[in-house]
Amino acid sequence: MTDAASPSALLVTGAGSGIGAAAALAAARDGWFVHVTDTDGDAMAATLDAVHALGGSGAGHVLDVTDAAAVGRAFAAVRQGPGPLRGLFTAAGIDRGGPAHELEAAQWRRVLEVNTTGTFLVVQQALAEMMRGGGGSIVLCGSPAAQVGFAAGGATAYGASKGAISSMTRTLAVDYARYGIRVNAVVPGPTETPLMWAGVPAEEVDRMREQVAREVPLGRMARPEEIAASVLWLLSDGSSYTTGSLIGCDGGVLAKSSISV
Ligand SMILES: NC(=O)c1ccc[n+]([C@@H]2O[C@H](COP(=O)([O-])OP(=O)(O)OC[C@H]3O[C@@H](n4cnc5c(N)ncnc54)[C@H](O)[C@@H]3O)[C@@H](O)[C@H]2O)c1
């Protein structure tokens, strides 16, 4: 992506695990200077070690995306590092489900706080940075839950939080195109990460994994690296005419109706 003497910088939230970690590693391999951030300091450090182990360069920041002051401090640190900031991938997210009529208001608020407000706080800082630096590419993390109801149910808060990501993607793309900033979202299908099984009893995981695999047209769940490949494309000049798009990487989930006649 960049020449070694002056690498472009990328910040990844939620980079301690799953899709964010895979994207951080793929970006490091591609020559980005990667700011690895996560609220979990040990997980963040493990990803940063992996970045260094593969010969990449980066820096680590413990960052809770819901803490506006901490987000400001992280971007101040980014300004001190190699730059300019040309990329952002917002992978930080949580899934706390439950039927809507039983969902605690605090759960609802927390899911929207992390997935939607947290994304906004980080995007806001990145936009200012990229406007100063002459442009960049922002990749948000959507979900099929923004577009369809999940058969397993209980995704009201999560789906709403990701619906906001879909609309943010489009409005930001229109507003910031004039500054050379592209904004897209990757829409992952079921991907083998801890988030996928959040709230599923341990003894149920294997059965559910098999069921999910059967339901996906491609017949299996995604590996985080497969989602990362789409993120890297959206970050790269290879997608230079793509903005405001929700890029499905979902094994065909959104293409499928469950009605079989
Ligand atoms: N796994 C899937 O099937 C799937 C499908 C569609 C979308 N997604 C989305 O992909 C993104 C990444 O999820 P994943 O599956 O890799 O999950 P994951 O649980 O493996 O990783 C999420 C990371 O976000 C971090 N995080 C949580 N709250 C945070 C906060 N307040 N501030 C900063 N970091 C925080 C966690 O510590 C964790 O490292 C999420 O936005 C998720 O909604 C996942």
Side-chain angles (χ1 to χ4, degrees):
M1 166 66 206
T2 55
D3 76 79
S6 84
S8 291
L10 164 73
L11 188 142
V12 181
T13 70
S17 176
I19 295 168
L25 295 183
R29 255 182 231 108
D30 224 15
W32 290 86
F33 182 93
V34 187
H35 292 277
V36 175
T37 77
D38 202 289
T39 193
D40 178 336
D42 291 340
M44 176 276 284
T47 301
L48 185 61
D49 285 349
V51 162
H52 290 145
L54 59 81
S57 55
H61 316 270
V62 175
L63 176 62
D64 179 341
V65 295
T66 68
D67 180 343
V71 172
R73 285 195 296 277
F75 277 83
V78 166
R79 280 194 288 281
Q80 302 305 313
L85 185 78
R86 290 266 187 250
L88 171 70
F89 176 45
T90 58
I94 58 171
D95 184 4
R96 306 260 169 79
H101 70 284
E102 291 173 355
L103 195 65
E104 300 276 350
Q107 293 276 67
W108 165 271
R109 288 200 185 95
R110 185 65 189 157
V111 171
L112 271 85
E113 185 72 11
V114 175
N115 294 1
T116 308
T117 307
T119 296
F120 168 73
L121 292 174
V122 173
V123 164
Q124 195 177 34
Q125 292 278 340
L127 287 168
E129 208 52 46
M130 290 175 181
M131 286 167 76
R132 276 193 288 273
S137 174
I138 293 176
V139 183
L140 307 186
C141 201
S143 168
Q147 295 168 61
V148 294
F150 283 163
T156 304
Y158 185 74
S161 76
K162 293 297 185 177
I165 295 298
S166 302
S167 47
M168 270 172 69
T169 300
R170 298 186 180 106
T171 48
L172 290 169
V174 172
D175 286 356
Y176 290 91
R178 75 196 72 163
Y179 300 104
I181 301 171
R182 296 184 297 108
V183 185
N184 295 287
V186 67
V187 181
T191 307
E192 191 60 69
T193 72
L195 178 140
M196 180 71 198
W197 308 118
V200 177
E203 63 277 14
E204 289 287 301
V205 168
D206 285 346
R207 185 191 60 76
M208 277 196 68
R209 182 183 284 116
E210 282 170 25
Q211 181 181 327
V212 170
R214 273 197 306 277
E215 290 171 351
V216 174
L218 281 182
R220 62 178 177 84
M221 290 179 57
R223 290 177 286 108
E225 294 73 19
E226 293 177 289
I227 313 302
S230 294
V231 173
L232 264 288
W233 177 72
L234 288 170
L235 289 170
S236 78
D237 288 344
S239 60
S240 55
Y241 202 61
T242 301
T243 196
S245 289
L246 309 175
I247 300 295
C249 185
D250 67 357
V253 164
L254 284 173
K256 179 184 171 184
S257 163
S258 62
I259 298 168
S260 47
V261 287

